[in-house]
Amino acid sequence: MDILVVLEDNRGSLHRMSKEAIVGAQKMGGSISVLAIGNNANGLANELSNIDISEVITVNHDLVSTYSADGYSEVVKQVIEAESPSTILIGHSYQTRDYIPRVSTKLDIPFIPDIISMENGLVKQILNSKLNATISAATDQKILSFQSSAFSEEAMMPGNCSSRSFNVDLDSSLVRSESEDPFQEAAADVDLESAELIISVGRGIEKEDNIPIVFELAKVMGAEVGASRPVVDSGWLPSFRQIGSSGQTVSPKLYLALGISGAIQHVVGMKGSKNILAINKDADAPIFEIADYAVIGDVLEIIPKLTETLKG
Amino acid sequence: MKIAVLVKQVPGSESVLPILGDTTWIDEAQATFVMNPPDNFAIEEALLIKEKIGEGEVVIISMGPSRVQKVIREGLAKGADRGIHLEEDGTIETDPLSNAKSFTSVLKEENFDLVLSGLQSDDTGMGQTGVLIGEMLGMSTATLAMEVEIQSPTIRVKRELESGWFQWVKLKMPSAISIQSGLNTPRYPSLKGIMGAKRKEIKVVPASDHQTHSKSQSIDKVFVPQTSKQTVVIEGDADSVVSKIVNILKSDIKVI
Ligand SMILES: Cc1cc2nc3c(=O)[nH]c(=O)nc-3n(C[C@H](O)[C@H](O)[C@H](O)COP(=O)(O)OP(=O)(O)OC[C@H]3O[C@@H](n4cnc5c(N)ncnc54)[C@H](O)[C@@H]3O)c2cc1C
Ligand SMILES: Nc1ncnc2c1ncn2[C@@H]1O[C@H](COP(=O)(O)O)[C@@H](O)[C@H]1O
């Protein structure tokens, strides 16, 4: 086995990032096995029956019928030990963050996370998306995770594959944690997902007292207000306005980013916007890499003037 | 309750990041450093736990060149009890596995009940160091904590999942928990705290004592990302910028 792709069950169906990881595996080339764990393992396997991979390996066991970091890391470890893939691939989801480092430790194999491209080496973003780095493993085996959208799931190549189950040896003493059911917090007051115009505010707004100037602009433009995580963390705006990997995903006609640096966890939530206009005083801010219009300037100066002009 | 908090010092979001001539890392001499933001929340959580229980010890641990003593002192000024500095000579080690082994070699004789870390460092962004250490120390682990409730000998953690979902997990202690930003409001050190911090102990562990592990991965080259998108750049004084923006909104995007 050359490549093992570890799948993720996203509340009953295959996680989008698992499909992207399969595309990454197909690009790498070689024999590809994928691993489905849990009581829905066969369901996930079925979703891949028309895909060009060698085989789906399913694991089901009482101790891993649903996700736990202890159980899953042990299963992945046992499969890697038995099958010796040279590369283990997975989507860089929050679940991956939770248990893959443990597999890395158990087997002493490096986990190179959040890869965006494999074109000239393994490329990862560093320093809050401001720079990229190429990373290499010093070992024969390695675990790689792909950032959301590193590959397009549409590029999955069709074909056939077989399926087999794998017997794991799990002991209940292994599981040191119990998980409750996932839940969502109170519903949002605003519908950002269907908003046509979004004005989103980042730490560049500097302080809570400056938030009202954003709402004044939003009012004259008929826009909704979104925010980056630090603005929400500071309590300047409620969490339902947060845009990004742990908040909402939006795709308005216009996304106006005010004082937002453009870290990847924010960008994944808004890069589908039809038009992105970013205002930032730092000409090298990563948000400008995905912006259609890059305004280099001070938001505290520009926002009130823009509001005045649009009013007048 | 004995709590370790791993605190990294990283270039601040406003820092310049000039790439070194050999392109292996940034020129740290020109960068300005701050405490890794989520680690600040981890310190606060540790102090809150200690205050709530009414006893315990909070130890700030940082690895890096001598500059990192600044973030250790910051933690001590906020109320942590002592610090441990794992010294690094020259450039910082960017291999999470060998870093975790360094930390573990120092942490294992301390027998901590809790090891708190930030979910991710702003510089290398590996998002794994705290979990690696937890596993090496045989602890239960949880990541992306948004709330922590101690119910000795267990601990309940509210974990952040994707897209606004959450989940509670109950762990047997000892545990290693990575902290997501926003779960509390980090305090500022008081003047008294700052004065008191000067007398608190920082144990220094020389690089030769902890950097004894082979490398598993390395950053080979650092470079500026290339943009693929056509971007219209707008610069100038505020008035001209505003009239250009208005034009774009009206004529190009047609949203007003
Ligand atoms: C697992 C995980 C999940 C995350 N989830 C999310 C998420 O869902 N959403 C999210 O947003 N982030 C998320 N983050 C955090 C993310 O990594 C960044 O830290 C965050 O997006 C940065 O927010 P910011 O751009 O507002 O702040 P900063 O990065 O501090 O940027 C502020 C920007 O404002 C500019 N600026 C400052 N003053 C001015 C001025 N006067 N005029 C103009 N510009 C100015 C600066 O040049 C800078 O570019 C997550 C991180 C992790 C690790
Ligand atoms: N050199 C270091 N010194 C102290 N803490 C660190 C160091 N490297 C990583 N950490 C801790 O591990 C967390 C995750 O880092 P990383 O795995 O690099 O993303 C950070 O938020 C810190 O809490």
mmCIF file of all heavy atoms in Angstrom, chain B residues 18-36:
data_model
loop_
_atom_site.group_PDB
_atom_site.id
_atom_site.type_symbol
_atom_site.label_atom_id
_atom_site.label_comp_id
_atom_site.label_asym_id
_atom_site.label_seq_id
_atom_site.Cartn_x
_atom_site.Cartn_y
_atom_site.Cartn_z
ATOM 1 N N PRO B 18 10.942 39.976 7.370
ATOM 2 C CA PRO B 18 11.902 39.828 6.285
ATOM 3 C C PRO B 18 12.484 38.409 6.263
ATOM 4 O O PRO B 18 12.786 37.842 7.313
ATOM 5 C CB PRO B 18 12.984 40.857 6.620
ATOM 6 C CG PRO B 18 12.803 41.199 8.039
ATOM 7 C CD PRO B 18 11.417 40.838 8.452
ATOM 8 N N ILE B 19 12.588 37.852 5.071
ATOM 9 C CA ILE B 19 13.091 36.484 4.941
ATOM 10 C C ILE B 19 14.614 36.511 4.973
ATOM 11 O O ILE B 19 15.246 37.375 4.364
ATOM 12 C CB ILE B 19 12.561 35.865 3.629
ATOM 13 C CG1 ILE B 19 11.036 35.737 3.714
ATOM 14 C CG2 ILE B 19 13.201 34.509 3.345
ATOM 15 C CD1 ILE B 19 10.361 35.321 2.435
ATOM 16 N N LEU B 20 15.214 35.564 5.697
ATOM 17 C CA LEU B 20 16.684 35.476 5.769
ATOM 18 C C LEU B 20 17.282 35.208 4.382
ATOM 19 O O LEU B 20 16.623 34.596 3.539
ATOM 20 C CB LEU B 20 17.093 34.326 6.698
ATOM 21 C CG LEU B 20 17.014 34.558 8.210
ATOM 22 C CD1 LEU B 20 17.334 33.257 8.939
ATOM 23 C CD2 LEU B 20 17.971 35.660 8.645
ATOM 24 N N GLY B 21 18.523 35.605 4.211
ATOM 25 C CA GLY B 21 19.215 35.415 2.933
ATOM 26 C C GLY B 21 19.213 33.971 2.450
ATOM 27 O O GLY B 21 19.039 33.699 1.264
ATOM 28 N N ASP B 22 19.359 33.026 3.385
ATOM 29 C CA ASP B 22 19.373 31.614 2.962
ATOM 30 C C ASP B 22 17.962 31.027 2.875
ATOM 31 O O ASP B 22 17.804 29.814 2.690
ATOM 32 C CB ASP B 22 20.254 30.778 3.906
ATOM 33 C CG ASP B 22 19.706 30.713 5.337
ATOM 34 O OD1 ASP B 22 18.621 31.293 5.585
ATOM 35 O OD2 ASP B 22 20.338 30.084 6.189
ATOM 36 N N THR B 23 16.954 31.886 3.020
ATOM 37 C CA THR B 23 15.513 31.557 2.922
ATOM 38 C C THR B 23 15.039 30.429 3.851
ATOM 39 O O THR B 23 14.018 29.807 3.585
ATOM 40 C CB THR B 23 15.052 31.214 1.472
ATOM 41 O OG1 THR B 23 15.585 29.951 1.084
ATOM 42 C CG2 THR B 23 15.448 32.285 0.490
ATOM 43 N N THR B 24 15.766 30.183 4.939
ATOM 44 C CA THR B 24 15.328 29.100 5.822
ATOM 45 C C THR B 24 14.327 29.564 6.881
ATOM 46 O O THR B 24 13.619 28.760 7.459
ATOM 47 C CB THR B 24 16.513 28.469 6.568
ATOM 48 O OG1 THR B 24 17.241 29.525 7.205
ATOM 49 C CG2 THR B 24 17.418 27.706 5.620
ATOM 50 N N TRP B 25 14.279 30.846 7.165
ATOM 51 C CA TRP B 25 13.370 31.376 8.190
ATOM 52 C C TRP B 25 13.348 32.881 8.039
ATOM 53 O O TRP B 25 13.963 33.425 7.113
ATOM 54 C CB TRP B 25 13.827 30.920 9.587
ATOM 55 C CG TRP B 25 12.847 31.207 10.712
ATOM 56 C CD1 TRP B 25 13.090 31.939 11.841
ATOM 57 C CD2 TRP B 25 11.486 30.772 10.810
ATOM 58 N NE1 TRP B 25 11.963 31.972 12.633
ATOM 59 C CE2 TRP B 25 10.964 31.267 12.015
ATOM 60 C CE3 TRP B 25 10.643 30.010 9.968
ATOM 61 C CZ2 TRP B 25 9.639 31.047 12.428
ATOM 62 C CZ3 TRP B 25 9.323 29.780 10.381
ATOM 63 C CH2 TRP B 25 8.842 30.294 11.597
ATOM 64 N N ILE B 26 12.639 33.564 8.937
ATOM 65 C CA ILE B 26 12.643 35.021 8.872
ATOM 66 C C ILE B 26 13.796 35.573 9.710
ATOM 67 O O ILE B 26 14.318 34.888 10.581
ATOM 68 C CB ILE B 26 11.310 35.615 9.373
ATOM 69 C CG1 ILE B 26 11.009 35.125 10.791
ATOM 70 C CG2 ILE B 26 10.174 35.281 8.422
ATOM 71 C CD1 ILE B 26 10.057 36.011 11.543
ATOM 72 N N ASP B 27 14.139 36.804 9.445
ATOM 73 C CA ASP B 27 15.193 37.463 10.207
ATOM 74 C C ASP B 27 14.608 37.935 11.534
ATOM 75 O O ASP B 27 13.971 38.994 11.617
ATOM 76 C CB ASP B 27 15.731 38.641 9.394
ATOM 77 C CG ASP B 27 16.872 39.333 10.120
ATOM 78 O OD1 ASP B 27 17.228 38.892 11.240
ATOM 79 O OD2 ASP B 27 17.397 40.323 9.565
ATOM 80 N N GLU B 28 14.822 37.135 12.563
ATOM 81 C CA GLU B 28 14.186 37.427 13.850
ATOM 82 C C GLU B 28 14.693 38.719 14.474
ATOM 83 O O GLU B 28 14.008 39.321 15.296
ATOM 84 C CB GLU B 28 14.394 36.257 14.819
ATOM 85 C CG GLU B 28 13.677 34.998 14.357
ATOM 86 C CD GLU B 28 13.413 34.029 15.496
ATOM 87 O OE1 GLU B 28 14.043 34.166 16.555
ATOM 88 O OE2 GLU B 28 12.555 33.149 15.314
ATOM 89 N N ALA B 29 15.900 39.141 14.065
ATOM 90 C CA ALA B 29 16.458 40.368 14.636
ATOM 91 C C ALA B 29 15.578 41.568 14.285
ATOM 92 O O ALA B 29 15.562 42.569 14.994
ATOM 93 C CB ALA B 29 17.881 40.571 14.134
ATOM 94 N N GLN B 30 14.839 41.482 13.180
ATOM 95 C CA GLN B 30 14.016 42.620 12.760
ATOM 96 C C GLN B 30 12.551 42.485 13.174
ATOM 97 O O GLN B 30 11.767 43.410 13.024
ATOM 98 C CB GLN B 30 14.105 42.777 11.246
ATOM 99 C CG GLN B 30 15.501 43.169 10.786
ATOM 100 C CD GLN B 30 15.503 43.461 9.305
ATOM 101 O OE1 GLN B 30 14.767 44.323 8.836
ATOM 102 N NE2 GLN B 30 16.309 42.733 8.553
ATOM 103 N N ALA B 31 12.175 41.311 13.634
ATOM 104 C CA ALA B 31 10.761 41.076 13.962
ATOM 105 C C ALA B 31 10.446 41.591 15.364
ATOM 106 O O ALA B 31 11.333 41.740 16.200
ATOM 107 C CB ALA B 31 10.453 39.586 13.872
ATOM 108 N N THR B 32 9.167 41.889 15.596
ATOM 109 C CA THR B 32 8.740 42.223 16.960
ATOM 110 C C THR B 32 7.895 41.076 17.473
ATOM 111 O O THR B 32 7.048 40.557 16.760
ATOM 112 C CB THR B 32 7.912 43.515 16.995
ATOM 113 O OG1 THR B 32 6.944 43.456 15.953
ATOM 114 C CG2 THR B 32 8.772 44.735 16.811
ATOM 115 N N PHE B 33 8.158 40.681 18.725
ATOM 116 C CA PHE B 33 7.548 39.459 19.251
ATOM 117 C C PHE B 33 6.464 39.744 20.279
ATOM 118 O O PHE B 33 6.525 40.730 21.011
ATOM 119 C CB PHE B 33 8.636 38.580 19.878
ATOM 120 C CG PHE B 33 9.504 37.919 18.840
ATOM 121 C CD1 PHE B 33 10.653 38.544 18.357
ATOM 122 C CD2 PHE B 33 9.157 36.679 18.333
ATOM 123 C CE1 PHE B 33 11.440 37.938 17.386
ATOM 124 C CE2 PHE B 33 9.930 36.061 17.367
ATOM 125 C CZ PHE B 33 11.076 36.692 16.893
ATOM 126 N N VAL B 34 5.476 38.847 20.293
ATOM 127 C CA VAL B 34 4.393 38.921 21.284
ATOM 128 C C VAL B 34 4.112 37.511 21.803
ATOM 129 O O VAL B 34 4.624 36.527 21.264
ATOM 130 C CB VAL B 34 3.085 39.498 20.675
ATOM 131 C CG1 VAL B 34 3.279 40.909 20.157
ATOM 132 C CG2 VAL B 34 2.548 38.579 19.564
ATOM 133 N N MET B 35 3.250 37.425 22.798
ATOM 134 C CA MET B 35 2.805 36.117 23.268
ATOM 135 C C MET B 35 1.828 35.552 22.238
ATOM 136 O O MET B 35 0.944 36.272 21.766
ATOM 137 C CB MET B 35 2.110 36.278 24.623
ATOM 138 C CG MET B 35 1.692 34.970 25.239
ATOM 139 S SD MET B 35 0.753 35.209 26.763
ATOM 140 C CE MET B 35 1.988 35.838 27.882
ATOM 141 N N ASN B 36 1.985 34.280 21.901
ATOM 142 C CA ASN B 36 1.056 33.644 20.965
ATOM 143 C C ASN B 36 -0.373 33.838 21.497
ATOM 144 O O ASN B 36 -0.664 33.438 22.627
ATOM 145 C CB ASN B 36 1.410 32.157 20.863
ATOM 146 C CG ASN B 36 0.631 31.459 19.772
ATOM 147 O OD1 ASN B 36 0.468 31.998 18.678
ATOM 148 N ND2 ASN B 36 0.142 30.263 20.076
#
